[in-house]
Amino acid sequence: MSTVQRLTAAAIQMVSGDDLSANLERARVLVGEAAAAGAELVVLPEYFYLMPEDERERVALARPFGDGPIYHYLAELAERHRLWLVGGTLPLASPEPGKMFNSSLLFGPDGRCRVRYDKIHLFGFDNGRERYDESATMSAGEQVASGDTPWGPLRLSVCYDLRFPELYRQRPAPTLIAAPAAFTHTTGQAHWELLLRARAVDNLAFVIGAGQGGMHPGGKRTFGHSLIVDPWGTVLACHEDGEGIALATLDLNRQAELRQRLPTLQHRRLD
C-alpha cells in the first residue's frame, strides 16, 4: 500500500532526430518544464536520445550498465529536478556482437538508478511499405522489472511489450505502469490507445505512455498521442502530435477504491 495518495505525473513526447546532442537538449528542456509544472514522476519516450535512419547508429552508443554519457545525463537530470525519472530507453551493452539491449531505467530524486529493465518483446513489422526488425540490432531481455516508489510499485515496459498482458500480471501488482514507446503511425493509429487503456483496466493501474510523435530521418513516422490513463481506463491527459507534455494528477485513493470493489482482478496474477 502506498503512503502518498496523490501524484503529478508527466509523459514527455518528442520528435527525436539523428543529432544526439540536440535530442538530449530538447529532453532537458521538456523535463524542466514538466518539473516546473509540478511533476514528481516523468517518463521520457523510447529512443529519446536518437531516432536515426540507420538503426545501427544506436548500437554504436551502447555502454555497460552504470556507465556512459546517456546514463549519467539521466541520473543528473533526475537529481537536478528532484524527481522520479523513467529514462525512456537507452542502449546498453550486449554480449551479442552488433547488438544492444534496449533498456528502460528508473532513477530516483537522488540520481540513483533504482531498477533496470531490458525490453523483452522485440518488434517486427512488414506491410510491404514499412519494415521493422528490432531483433537485427537488439538482444531480448529476460526479466520483468519493477521499482519501489513512494506511490507503490512501478512496472517498467517498452512499446511492443504492451501487446503481452502477462508481463504486467507478474507480482508485485503495479500501482503504476510506464510505457515509453516509438509506435509507428500505422500500428499506433490502430492500437496505441486501446492497448494503454486495456493494460490500465487489466491491472487497475495508472498507465503513463510517453511516445515519439512525428517525422524522423529516413521517412519514419511515429504516432505520438502520449497518454496518462487511470485504472478505470479513463484518459486523464493526452498530447497528440509533435513535441510536448501530457500532465495529470493521479488520485491513488480512487485506485484503492476500485481494487477493493474488484478484488478478483487484483488477485488473478501469475507468480
Side-chain angles (χ1 to χ4, degrees):
M1 181 70 177
S2 61
T3 56
V4 181
Q5 295 305 310
R6 293 182 75 81
L7 158 66
T8 300
I12 303 292
Q13 185 160 297
M14 295 180 62
V15 188
S16 300
D18 54 10
D19 184 327
L20 174 64
S21 296
N23 295 331
L24 296 184
E25 174 60 17
R26 290 311 305 152
R28 182 191 67 77
V29 170
L30 288 165
V31 171
E33 290 177 1
E40 302 158 273
L41 169 65
V42 175
V43 180
L44 284 165
E46 185 179 23
Y47 307 139
F48 77 95
Y49 62 96
L50 202 69
M51 284 285 286
E53 181 173 358
D54 185 346
E55 306 288 329
R56 291 170 295 184
E57 291 184 30
R58 286 196 286 257
V59 180
L61 297 173
R63 297 291 183 271
F65 174 64
D67 194 13
I70 301 174
Y71 178 95
H72 292 298
Y73 162 87
L74 291 169
E76 191 274 333
L77 201 56
E79 185 175 17
R80 179 193 306 170
H81 294 292
R82 304 299 298 172
L83 50 72
W84 292 80
L85 177 66
V86 176
T89 63
L90 74 164
L92 294 181
S94 163
E96 295 185 85
K99 294 189 178 184
M100 68 181 197
F101 288 110
N102 189 24
S103 303
S104 188
L105 307 181
L106 172 66
F107 291 87
D110 57 0
R112 182 167 61 89
C113 181
R114 304 304 176 89
V115 65
R116 165 185 175 177
Y117 169 69
D118 300 331
K119 185 179 181 182
I120 293 174
H121 302 101
L122 302 184
F123 178 60
F125 179 74
D126 189 345
N127 66 0
R129 302 182 307 277
E130 302 171 85
R131 184 178 184 277
Y132 299 87
D133 181 13
E134 290 185 337
S135 64
T137 57
M138 295 179 196
S139 299
E142 298 180 348
Q143 299 293 324
V144 176
S146 292
D148 292 328
T149 75
W151 310 281
L154 183 151
R155 177 66 39 82
L156 291 173
S157 63
V158 178
C159 201
Y160 194 48
D161 285 331
L162 284 167
R163 297 188 183 274
F164 300 87
E166 63 273 16
L167 183 147
Y168 305 94
R169 304 292 282 178
Q170 306 296 317
R171 298 182 187 277
T175 298
L176 304 160
I177 292 171
F183 254 68
T184 70
H185 190 271
T186 301
T187 57
Q189 195 170 38
H191 297 142
W192 168 247
E193 181 176 332
L194 171 69
L195 290 168
L196 290 171
R197 294 177 70 188
R199 298 297 80 82
V201 173
D202 285 348
N203 299 279
L204 295 177
F206 290 96
V207 177
I208 305 167
Q212 295 279 350
M215 295 298 300
H216 309 275
K220 297 172 186 173
R221 185 183 180 190
T222 49
F223 183 61
H225 291 75
S226 294
L227 298 178
I228 300 177
V229 185
D230 80 1
W232 195 244
T234 302
V235 175
L236 301 179
C238 175
H239 184 82
E240 293 189 1
D241 299 310
E243 189 180 87
I245 302 169
L247 187 80
T249 298
L250 316 185
D251 183 354
L252 276 70
N253 286 317
R254 165 70 169 157
Q255 181 181 50
E257 291 170 6
L258 288 171
R259 288 184 167 184
Q260 190 171 23
R261 277 194 268 156
L262 298 167
T264 54
L265 289 181
Q266 173 69 4
H267 297 298
R268 287 175 53 205
R269 297 186 179 274
L270 303 175
D271 292 317

